[in-house]
Each structure stands twice: as structure tokens, then as C-alpha cells.
Amino acid sequence: MIQGVFEDMRSYKIAAIPADGIGREVIDAGLEVLAALAGHDGGFTLAAERFDWGSDYYKRHGVMMPENGRDLLKGFDAIYFGAVGAPDVPDHVTLWGLRLAICQPFDQYANVRPTRILPGIKSPLAGVGPAELDWVIVRENSEGEYAGQGGRSHRGLPEEVATEVAIFTRAGVTRIMRFAFETARARPRKQLTVVTKSNAQRHGMVMWDEIAAEVAADFPDVTWDKMLVDAMTMRMTLRPATLDTIVATNLHADILSDLAAALAGSLGIAPTANLNPERRFPSMFEPIHGSAFDITGKGIANPVATFWTACMMLEHLGERAAAARLMAAIEHVTADPALHTPDLGGHATTRQVTDAVIAAIRSMQ
Ligand code: IPM
Ligand code: MG
């Protein structure tokens, strides 16, 4: 339980689901940082409740979360999620049993992935710094290639068949396009790139393009263009400064966001928000990096992605000042190479980075 000191403060209930691998280490660090922000003069309190769902829970109970799990989450203002995935449980079981089991029924259809080069961090691209790479990827998060449609027949026989059907609905595409145009409009450059593959995929992707053009008519102040996903990987690498806000299907954005994170220095700093923009259900905030079993328990996971994720959560809750203060503290710490974890080529530990961010928060208050 994290509590502040004043009676008349705004208060929020956060469900913390650290889940697997380094998820536990980084969510612990994130909750400490949030407590430091709220605790002193943040003007708000956070009550965090932890849920021990994930692969260990699965090994004990045969399910990743209890049957009434979503009912338990409904009353929270936000979900702070670590990572899912374990070496000894199939990935599709962990993913569909927990993360997608929350994202999809809670209609968190807008997945937002900001990418910037933070101070002190080097892009692998020569001559590319913060001014050349400042993107927001909007990922369609409820349908497309992750719709879960398909099946397998004649298992194990030579004639075995499996289908994996991508679903695109007019309602689903329209709402993500509107969200992306609004995101682009709220940024200084007011520029959106719509990623597609309508040259080869002639049904869903062609409708995707048509709806983009229809929605664009309502946003005359936003400049937009269209880019085939394969060509997009080249543009991100060779001409990063020509991009600002990007919208793509579930799978395309999954792939492009890993590329974006690598170009910005490390997957260890990349945050994400799974939003239900209408706020009918809680939204969920998580680092992109995953459970990283190779470094689990070593105390060297980069907590920066989870801290940046906390900024996105605070913004969603309306705590803009606290979000800005946390982001400034993170940037103050990344600027010092002595505080870089091994994913950034340094030797710092999760503990050292966390302590430094907390000290920076305190020095700002
Ligand atoms: C992501 C991840 C997930 C995804 C994995 C863990 C299934 O890669 O959030 O980008 O593909 O959605
Ligand atoms: Mg991914």
C-alpha cells in the first residue's frame, strides 16, 4: 500500500501485475518510484494492490489468472503490468491466458508506443539524435492478425491444416484511425504515416487504406501519408526525421515497434499503454521488453521502460505535473552513462537506477 499524507488528495487504485521474469523486478522498482512521487507533495495518493498471476500461478492452478480475474480488475483506475512469458510454458498459453485475456475483453484497442532518444543514450544510427527520432507508434490492439480467429484440423497427419485469419472491421479500423489522427493532431508536427500492405493483401488492407482516407477528411490540419510496411522499415532506418506519428495494424506495429526501440537505443527503455480511450474499462500500462529470462534475478534489468510506462499511466490518470516530473527525473538519470544498465552498454544495476531516479524526484520537490 502506497499512501500520501493529506486528507483531500486525489486518490487512485492501481492493480499491479508483475507476472513473469524481470516483470517482478521492474514493477517493484516502478512502485517504489511512484510512491516517491506521490508520497511527498504530489497532491495525490496511489493505492497499489498486487496480483500474483502469471506462469508460476499457472503451474499451481492450471490457469494464468483466476476465473474472476477481470471482475477483480474492473474497480481499478489502471493496471501496471510487468511481462509474461516463461521458458517452460508455451508462449501462446501465457500470452492468451493473461495479457490478451485482459487487453481484449477490456477493449484496450489503442496501443501507444512513444519512441525517443533519451539524453545520454546513443542510437545505433550514425548522426541520429533526439531531434531526428521522436515518434509515437499507434498500434491497433484488438483485432487484425491478433484476432485469435482460425483453427487446426487433422492434427499430426500429413494433411494437417492450420489457419490464422486476420480480421479487419470497419468499426475497429475507424476507431483506431480516429485515435491516431487525434494523437498526431496533439503533437507539434501534426503528421501521421499510415502503414499498410495493400499491394499484396487486397481485402483487409485495402479497406484499411480507404478508411484512413475517409477519417483524414475530418482532420484537415493533419498532414498524412501512406507507407508499405516493408518500405517503412527502410524509411525508419534511413530517414527517421521524416516520421512523427505512425499507425499500423496489430502485427505490423508489433514488428515496427521493436525496430523503433532498437533505433532509439534499447528495448529496455520502451514503454507502452494499452488504452480503452472511452474509459469503460481500466487501461493497462507495461514495458515492451518482455520477461527476459536470461537476466531474471540478476538485478540488472533496465527499469527505465517501466518508469516511462508509469509516466504514461500518470498522464492517463490526469496527473500531468507528476508525469512531467517523473520524465525529467528519468532523463536526468539516463544522461549519466554511469547509470546505464548492461542493455545500454553500462554496468549499473536496477537498484542503482531506481535509487537515482528517486533521488532526482526528491531533489525536484
Ligand atoms: C509486444 C510483445 C507481445 C506482442 C508479445 C509478448 C506477444 O511483443 O507487446 O510487442 O506481440 O504483442
Ligand atoms: Mg513486440
Side-chain angles (χ1 to χ4, degrees), residues 113 139 254 257-258 288:
R113 303 188 159 195
R139 172 179 181 183
D254 174 44
S257 60
D258 266 27
I288 297 187

Side-chain angles (χ1 to χ4, degrees), residues 111-257:
N111 181 255
V112 181
R113 303 188 159 195
T115 311
R116 284 194 287 126
I117 300 177
L118 299 185
I121 294 179
K122 263 207 170 73
S123 169
L125 298 175
V128 171
E132 287 76 33
L133 200 164
D134 182 357
W135 304 332
V136 176
I137 299 180
V138 175
R139 172 179 181 183
E140 200 295 315
N141 212 34
S142 67
E143 51 178 37
E145 310 85 347
Y146 282 56
Q149 294 270 333
R152 284 173 73 173
S153 310
H154 315 304
R155 275 185 189 246
L157 298 176
E159 56 271 47
E160 180 168 1
V161 53
T163 58
E164 192 77 52
V165 182
I167 301 289
F168 295 93
T169 65
R170 178 163 281 278
V173 177
T174 304
R175 67 185 183 175
I176 198 64
M177 287 298 170
R178 295 204 79 82
F179 183 90
F181 273 97
E182 270 155 21
T183 304
R185 173 180 269 171
R187 288 170 53 84
R189 288 170 67 185
K190 300 187 194 304
Q191 186 200 318
L192 178 69
T193 299
V194 176
V195 176
T196 185
K197 190 63 195 174
S198 49
N199 55 348
Q201 299 185 303
R202 59 194 175 143
H203 308 296
M205 288 283 81
V206 172
M207 185 179 79
W208 170 270
D209 290 2
E210 285 169 11
I211 293 174
E214 285 165 27
V215 172
D218 290 340
F219 294 84
D221 53 330
V222 176
T223 315
W224 74 287
D225 63 353
K226 226 168 50 181
M227 203 71 212
L228 296 171
V229 64
D230 45 353
M232 184 67 172
T233 60
M234 296 208 294
R235 180 161 163 199
M236 287 168 72
T237 313
L238 301 177
R239 293 185 297 136
T242 66
L243 293 162
D244 186 73
T245 309
I246 297 159
V247 63
T249 70
N250 216 328
L251 181 62
H252 290 167
D254 174 44
I255 297 164
L256 296 180
S257 60

Side-chain angles (χ1 to χ4, degrees), residues 83-85 91 94-96 99-100 111 113 139 141 146 250-251 253-255 257-258 267 272 274 286-291:
V84 276
D91 283 341
T94 53
L95 181 70
W96 282 94
R99 188 170 162 278
L100 292 180
N111 181 255
R113 303 188 159 195
R139 172 179 181 183
N141 212 34
Y146 282 56
N250 216 328
L251 181 62
D254 174 44
I255 297 164
S257 60
D258 266 27
L267 196 54
T272 190
N274 300 283
E286 57 175 343
I288 297 187
H289 52 59
S291 50

